[in-house]
Amino acid sequence: MYEIIYKDIKEDEKYEKVIKRVLTHCFKEENIEDSKLCITITLTTSENIKDINSKYRNINKTTDVLSFPMFEKDELDEKIKSKQFEFEDVLGDIIISIKKVEEQAKEYGHSFERELSYMIVHGFYHLMGYDHIEEEDKKVMRPKEEKILNDLKILR
């Protein structure tokens, strides 16, 4: 279901527990727990995420999370609907700056666990083809994110 890569940061069991708990619920909520879809999650530094952001998005600044989906939404929806999961498929990559997670948790006045959980859920729904640039899209994506966090009792 997922693989965690640490790039220039120390491995941490607490990160892995949060990721497992959140992604397990995301997969269940979207009825893909029996799929062979796999996500790669890279936990890294602000410097590394800035380089990736610059290279792939031409935005030369650090950010909290980047998502790189492998499917267009309609293609993925069809795959899920028809249960076309004979082979393992990569759903996409989520890259998270642990430093930004720490900073934002303090800034927003909630726990590190809550902020990391949100980054995972947010990245997951981008991989599922959702977006939040347009207000109409945001009205679909945000409730999905909040439902996962509320179900898991990971509150602000």
Side-chain angles (χ1 to χ4, degrees), residues 17 27 39 58 65-66 68 78 104 117 131 153 156:
K17 285 181 181 177
F27 271 66
I39 297 173
N58 293 317
V65 62
L66 292 171
F68 296 96
E78 180 58 35
Q104 289 175 180
S117 297
D131 209 340
K153 306 214 179 331
R156 294 178 198 248

Side-chain angles (χ1 to χ4, degrees), residues 7-38:
K7 184 168 172 68
D8 299 330
I9 65 166
K10 281 180 24 182
E11 291 186 24
D12 193 319
E13 196 174 298
K14 76 177 177 182
Y15 304 158
E16 295 180 27
K17 285 181 181 177
V18 169
I19 291 166
K20 180 179 182 178
R21 182 172 180 235
V22 172
L23 279 183
T24 298
H25 195 66
C26 287
F27 271 66
K28 184 177 179 190
E29 180 68 23
E30 294 301 322
N31 297 309
I32 58 173
E33 67 266 30
D34 294 328
S35 73
K36 294 182 179 173
L37 292 169
C38 184

Side-chain angles (χ1 to χ4, degrees), residues 62-64 98-112 114-115 119 156:
T62 192
T63 190
D64 48 9
I98 291 298
K99 179 128 173 96
K100 287 295 272 185
V101 171
E102 291 167 349
E103 290 170 1
Q104 289 175 180
K106 287 178 189 165
E107 179 183 337
Y108 300 136
H110 54 241
S111 70
F112 177 88
R114 199 299 179 179
E115 190 64 19
M119 292 298 119
R156 294 178 198 248

Side-chain angles (χ1 to χ4, degrees), residues 64-75:
D64 48 9
V65 62
L66 292 171
S67 304
F68 296 96
M70 294 300 290
F71 297 99
E72 294 293 328
K73 182 158 182 19
D74 55 346
E75 179 186 12

